[in-house]
Amino acid sequence: MQFNEMGLDPRILKGIEAMGFETPSPIQEQFIPVFLKEPKDIVGLAQTGTGKTAAFGLPILQTIQPFNRVPQALILSPTRELCVQIAREIKEYSQFLPEIVITPVYGGADMNAQVKALRGGTHIITATPGRMHDMIRKNKVDLSQISILVLDEADEMLNMGFQEDLDAILSMTPKEKFTLLFSATMPSEVASIAKNYMTNPLEISVGKKNSGAENVEHIYHMVHAKDRYLALKRVLDFVPEVYGIVFCRTRQETGEVAAQLIQDNYSAEALHGDLSQAQRDFVMDKFRNRGVQILVATDVAARGLDVNDLTHVVNYNLPDDFENYTHRSGRTGRAGKSGVSISIIHMKEHGRIRQIEKTLGKKFLRKAVPSGKEICEKQLFYLTDKIQEVAVNEEEIGPYLPSVFEKFNHFSKEELIKQIVSLEFNRFLDYYGNTPDLNIPDSHEVSKKSRQVQPTLEGLTKFRLNVGLSKGISPKEVINFVVDATGRRNVEIGRIDLFGSYSVVEVEDAAGKALLRNSRGMSYRGTFFDVEVYNENRGERFQRGGRRGDAFPRNEGRERRDDFKRFERKRRY
Ligand code: ADP
Ligand code: MG
């Protein structure tokens, strides 16, 4: 089906044409005509880069009544960047419908200015849930005529803890409206939003659920954890024209890796939530305009960043949440292009690769980290290509040439080439001249260390909470929870271990019963606590995101700090 067979307004078709869209993407093809014919609640499942924005944006434009300058559509998305991007994209589709106003509303920016923009009259609001909820609470926005509500990147909004805001917004918008939910994945939290707030939604799913982009090659390199950064450098040096994102797991790691790369002369910038909005904008623009080759980013900061043509995605660390791997690798191989997703792992992460392969339904290829010699070769040919291809500005350089020729008079052609190439190339030779192989030989593979059981001091019992780092829980919040549940300010708490999807906390025996009983019905960022006595033998460490701290050798300090957090015992609160 073509765009002009979908029942779209001719002015919208003109806009699509002006943007250069020739044929609709699968989600657009399945979504647009169905919704235009008979509007209904729809759940759209599709990986990133499949054109979801137009899938909901075009039908929205079609339903807006321009003469009625009140918000008629509300589009919620997880980050300010996405919010702005969606507004910009829809503005472009509507270039031949100039009377339609689209207003982005997001946190971290002056609320009064946004309120003013809304007062000036608008038809479509793109918003982050937190700021929208704020506006509703302060009575700054009229949602009484919203007829279409979009939840874009719903899984990510929930990951980011927007559940409460979403609940509030969903219940404040008119009952008679159509709700469209888009998500790359369908975890139970998303399914329950669909269940609670949507009426018999039609499910449209494009491609296999959870599958990465088809034309992405998944590669991993296995190195010792201490060599991770060195391996990253080699990966980057091996593709001189890399234009890609290096994903890290934490803000801190992102900052550290970026700073190190910059110091080592790479064209890199960090993108993470600790930066101010202005800094983030600056970095994103710079990356989009190719003013920088490598973006080092956290999952959240990079989510939805619409940059096409990435050559590589590098997983400096595997994500805690496997679903994020899909998102990460989906940043490359977009729009029919081929892409490469490289993961740098250490020996103990082998099992996680297998897990991701299963989730993704695709095989990873284990490749050797490029050797110093291979990198030098690659860089050398890159350099010679560059010398061949460089455009010579005859007019400008002409006047200087006679004296330049004069200077190089005594060099032979061969000598001169050697000199020029060395100028650029010496730093690779210096660096890689005699470097060791970083690869771990196969025979070495994954020695399964026997698990030591951490002894618990007398009088304390270990409890398992179903909430962990992935929900953003902190030790302090675990303590507050235990204090609240037991109702005892001076309850004795021992060690607290935070894992990806769960936590383990030692609590004095005497308070155990109260903890188990009273925790029922208490919740953390939208998840009800489920507390049980921790069972050492449950084999938790191979579950999603959760790994036992004991699996990490002591000398991997930095590794361990990010993967797993432990707080030493015997404090009284
Ligand atoms: P998603 O939200 O699914 O991740 P986007 O809506 O951001 O994807 O679209 C990804 C890119 O593809 C954007 O640059 C968009 O302009 C472009 N795009 C969308 N639909 C089409 C189409 N039918 N033809 C060509 N390019 C398209
Ligand atoms: Mg999108």
Side-chain angles (χ1 to χ4, degrees):
M1 187 181 268
Q2 296 304 310
F3 280 119
N4 61 13
E5 297 167 309
M6 294 179 167
L8 286 163
D9 185 289
R11 287 164 300 175
I12 298 178
L13 289 173
K14 254 176 97 180
I16 299 172
E17 199 188 324
M19 288 190 73
F21 293 6
E22 283 168 6
T23 47
S25 71
I27 184 107
Q28 293 162 1
E29 190 171 355
Q30 290 188 45
F31 188 96
I32 300 170
V34 168
F35 187 80
L36 287 181
K37 188 147 177 255
E38 197 199 333
K40 53 167 80 75
D41 287 0
I42 299 181
V43 170
L45 285 174
Q47 64 212 30
T48 50
T50 51
K52 292 189 284 282
T53 318
F56 62 77
L58 301 177
I60 285 179
L61 284 175
Q62 181 113 337
T63 55
I64 296 294
Q65 300 174 311
F67 55 85
N68 185 14
R69 277 170 77 98
V70 295
Q72 297 163 47
L74 172 61
I75 300 162
L76 297 170
S77 65
T79 62
R80 164 207 160 107
E81 284 77 20
L82 261 179
C83 204
V84 171
Q85 196 173 292
I86 294 167
R88 198 189 320 137
E89 181 110 0
I90 297 182
K91 190 77 215 148
E92 271 192 74
Y93 306 145
S94 63
Q95 52 190 288
F96 297 100
L97 290 162
E99 62 279 19
I100 295 188
V101 183
I102 303 152
T103 310
V105 160
Y106 44 80
D110 180 25
M111 178 138 152
N112 287 331
Q114 294 175 351
V115 169
K116 230 168 157 185
L118 291 176
R119 287 229 179 93
T122 189
H123 300 102
I124 302 173
I125 302 177
T126 66
T128 50
R131 176 54 61 97
M132 191 74 257
H133 189 189
D134 253 14
M135 291 241 177
I136 295 175
R137 265 190 302 233
K138 297 190 175 132
N139 222 351
K140 301 287 188 202
V141 58
D142 173 12
L143 298 181
S144 64
Q145 296 189 50
I146 293 292
S147 61
I148 300 182
L149 176 73
V150 178
L151 305 169
D152 191 24
E153 308 271 3
D155 48 351
E156 194 58 25
M157 287 200 282
L158 293 169
N159 276 345
M160 289 175 67
F162 282 132
Q163 174 110 41
E164 245 173 63
D165 297 312
L166 288 179
D167 283 336
I169 297 167
L170 282 158
S171 58
M172 302 297 265
T173 41
K175 270 217 134 34
E176 299 296 311
K177 65 171 182 291
F178 299 106
T179 304
L180 310 175
L181 182 151
F182 291 88
S183 195
T185 59
M186 197 69 180
S188 58
E189 292 88 347
V190 176
S192 83
I193 287 244
K195 187 162 152 263
N196 294 337
Y197 296 104
M198 298 173 77
T199 321
N200 296 328
L202 171 71
E203 188 177 311
I204 294 180
S205 156
V206 172
K208 240 169 51 199
K209 283 179 202 175
N210 285 329
S211 91
E214 285 312 309
N215 35 359
V216 176
E217 192 184 353
H218 302 271
I219 292 172
Y220 71 97
H221 298 305
M222 190 147 70
V223 299
H224 291 290
K226 65 172 172 41
D227 291 335
R228 200 184 287 272
Y229 178 72
L230 296 178
L232 173 66
K233 282 182 55 156
R234 291 190 180 201
V235 164
L236 297 175
D237 285 341
F238 195 62
V239 269
E241 288 198 288
V242 67
Y243 178 56
I245 304 181
V246 174
F247 281 99
C248 295
R249 199 156 346 123
T250 62
R251 293 172 184 188
Q252 189 190 343
E253 187 179 77
T254 303
E256 285 168 5
V257 170
Q260 193 64 52
L261 285 174
I262 293 165
Q263 200 185 327
D264 290 343
N265 270 321
Y266 290 84
S267 164
E269 288 279 1
L271 184 71
H272 56 75
D274 284 345
L275 303 177
S276 71
Q277 296 293 358
Q279 285 170 315
R280 269 156 74 174
D281 288 347
F282 176 75
V283 171
M284 301 237 284
D285 278 349
K286 196 165 161 194
F287 186 60
R288 265 201 207 98
N289 301 330
R290 307 221 170 189
V292 61
Q293 284 182 277
I294 303 158
L295 194 67
V296 187
T298 55
D299 289 295
V300 170
R303 176 59 87 94
L305 173 73
D306 176 30
V307 178
N308 291 316
D309 303 337
L310 289 188
T311 61
H312 288 71
V313 162
V314 182
N315 298 286
Y316 185 71
N317 253 309
L318 290 174
D320 280 328
D321 187 339
F322 291 156
E323 275 152 9
N324 269 332
Y325 184 86
T326 314
H327 288 298
R328 290 180 176 189
S329 53
R331 318 300 324 172
T332 181
R334 277 155 88 99
K337 296 216 166 56
S338 63
V340 186
S341 171
I342 298 179
S343 303
I344 303 172
I345 67 164
H346 61 68
M347 291 197 288
K348 300 197 183 66
E349 290 175 316
H350 209 248
R352 307 186 72 211
I353 290 285
R354 297 282 102 85
Q355 286 262 23
I356 296 175
E357 283 183 332
K358 251 191 241 153
T359 324
L360 205 62
K362 279 190 151 188
K363 281 270 172 236
F364 276 64
L365 198 63
R366 178 174 173 186
K367 283 199 180 169
V369 180
S371 68
K373 189 158 168 274
E374 288 168 313
I375 290 168
C376 287
E377 237 171 65
K378 189 85 178 244
Q379 289 285 352
L380 190 58
F381 286 118
Y382 176 64
L383 182 59
T384 51
D385 282 352
K386 259 193 358 192
I387 293 176
Q388 270 185 38
E389 284 159 15
V390 67
V392 176
N393 186 340
E394 303 277 359
E395 215 165 288
E396 297 284 326
I397 203 168
Y400 304 101
L401 285 179
S403 48
V404 175
F405 291 148
E406 174 72 37
K407 243 201 144 122
F408 291 136
N409 221 348
H410 62 287
F411 282 109
S412 73
K413 182 178 160 194
E414 283 70 29
E415 279 169 341
L416 192 57
I417 292 175
K418 250 194 317 201
Q419 290 294 117
I420 291 172
V421 171
S422 299
L423 186 68
E424 277 273 320
F425 194 55
N426 275 348
R427 72 182 167 106
F428 289 104
L429 285 180
D430 286 349
Y431 183 74
Y432 285 117
N434 246 326
T435 43
D437 182 11
L438 298 181
N439 293 290
I440 299 171
D442 266 333
S443 56
H444 242 241
E445 250 171 52
V446 203
S447 69
K448 291 210 173 79
K449 254 198 202 159
S450 64
R451 282 192 258 162
Q452 291 165 282
V453 173
Q454 287 280 331
T456 297
L457 285 201
E458 254 171 84
L460 294 169
T461 306
K462 283 187 176 183
F463 290 89
R464 178 191 187 280
L465 317 183
N466 60 327
V467 172
L469 290 170
S470 63
K471 284 267 186 306
I473 200 163
S474 67
K476 195 158 162 236
E477 288 168 314
V478 171
I479 292 163
N480 288 343
F481 162 67
V482 173
V483 168
D484 286 348
T486 57
R488 286 180 41 196
R489 289 201 57 77
N490 62 347
V491 60
E492 191 175 328
I493 298 175
R495 213 175 69 197
I496 299 172
D497 290 353
L498 302 183
F499 299 84
S501 60
Y502 68 104
S503 313
V504 178
V505 54
E506 293 176 344
V507 178
E508 65 171 285
D509 293 345
K513 253 197 196 128
L515 178 66
L516 288 173
R517 190 181 52 235
N518 300 336
S519 58
R520 256 173 260 149
M522 291 175 67
S523 67
Y524 180 76
R525 299 200 181 160
T527 302
F528 282 107
F529 273 110
D530 184 6
V531 180
E532 56 193 60
V533 174
Y534 179 61
N535 178 355
E536 295 277 357
N537 299 320
R538 238 173 84 154
E540 291 271 17
R541 72 168 153 158
F542 294 115
Q543 287 189 0
R544 231 176 72 160
R547 281 182 288 154
R548 289 175 48 89
D550 312 332
F552 292 89
R554 298 281 156 192
N555 60 5
E556 289 173 24
R558 188 150 136 218
E559 221 56 62
R560 221 169 124 256
R561 189 170 61 225
D562 293 336
D563 284 344
F564 159 82
K565 300 199 172 146
R566 167 175 296 165
F567 300 87
E568 283 310 324
R569 51 164 297 107
K570 278 293 177 194
R571 282 173 298 189
R572 276 184 184 274
Y573 298 91

